[in-house]
Amino acid sequence: MELKAQLNDDLREAMRSRDEIRKGTIRMALSSIRYAEIASGEPLDDVGVQQVLAKEVKQRRESIEEFKKGGRKDLVDKEQAEIEVLAAYLPEQLDEGSLMEIAERIISETGAASPSDKGRVMPLLMKEISGRADGRMANEIVTRLLAS
C-alpha cells in the first residue's frame, strides 16, 4: 500500500478510536506532504513522503531540546509521542554501530584521512543512509573517525 494512502487510512482509524495524538500527528503529516507536493508541483512518491516525515521528526527532536532547556516536560512528552507516531512510517533507523560501520567503509573507499576530507565523505554517507539515520549523528561519527 502506498504510504500516503496508509496515512489516510490510519487517520480514519485514529478518528474512530478517538486517539487525539495520532489523529493530530497524522493530520499534520498529511498537511506537510500536501505543502511539499504543491511546492514540487507533482505528487510525492513513497520516498518523497518519507523525506517529509523525516523532516517532521527532525523538527520535533529540535523542539524537544528547546523544551528541555525551558523545563517544559509536558511539551517534551507531547513531541516524543508525535515522534513515535511518525517513526512507524519511516524505515528502521540505523543504530550508532551500524552507522559507524558504513562511515568507516566510505572513509576507506574515498581514502579520507583527515577532518578536512569530511566534505568528500559526508555526501556519500548521507546518500547511503538517507532517511535511516539522523544527519547530526552521522556528522559526529565522521568527525570522530577522521580525527583519530
Side-chain angles (χ1 to χ4, degrees):
M1 176 182 279
E2 189 177 285
L3 193 51
K4 203 163 53 170
Q6 180 68 45
L7 282 163
N8 282 310
D9 290 347
D10 290 350
L11 174 60
R12 281 189 285 281
E13 181 59 38
M15 290 169 76
R16 278 189 215 113
S17 65
R18 301 188 195 284
D19 185 344
E20 294 300 318
I21 294 284
R22 269 189 80 172
K23 180 176 78 172
T25 304
I26 293 172
R27 274 187 174 159
M28 172 280 315
L30 287 169
S31 175
S32 295
I33 291 165
R34 279 189 214 101
Y35 280 121
E37 288 176 337
I38 290 168
S40 70
E42 58 188 39
L44 295 178
D45 59 358
D46 281 352
V47 173
V49 171
Q50 286 178 343
Q51 289 173 341
V52 170
L53 295 177
K55 181 179 172 188
E56 293 295 326
V57 168
K58 180 181 178 185
Q59 287 176 346
R60 275 154 186 73
R61 286 193 177 121
E62 291 169 355
S63 295
I64 286 173
E65 289 177 28
E66 295 303 315
F67 291 145
K68 282 182 181 177
K69 289 177 187 174
R72 295 295 308 265
K73 174 109 172 80
D74 57 328
L75 295 176
V76 169
D77 294 341
K78 179 183 177 285
E79 295 290 317
Q80 191 59 47
E82 290 179 0
I83 287 174
E84 291 171 14
V85 170
L86 294 171
Y89 302 100
L90 294 172
E92 188 173 328
Q93 298 294 295
L94 295 170
D95 62 359
E96 192 169 341
S98 301
L99 186 55
M100 191 169 288
E101 288 175 17
I102 295 169
E104 287 172 342
R105 178 176 50 78
I106 290 175
I107 288 171
S108 67
E109 287 173 1
T110 59
S114 69
S116 63
D117 295 328
K118 187 170 23 172
R120 292 189 342 216
V121 175
M122 286 303 294
L124 298 172
L125 179 61
M126 293 309 294
K127 183 176 179 184
E128 186 163 332
I129 67 167
S130 75
R132 297 186 302 149
D134 182 42
R136 187 180 310 166
M137 184 168 66
N139 188 14
E140 290 171 3
I141 288 173
V142 169
T143 301
R144 270 195 321 237
L145 291 172
L146 290 176
S148 57

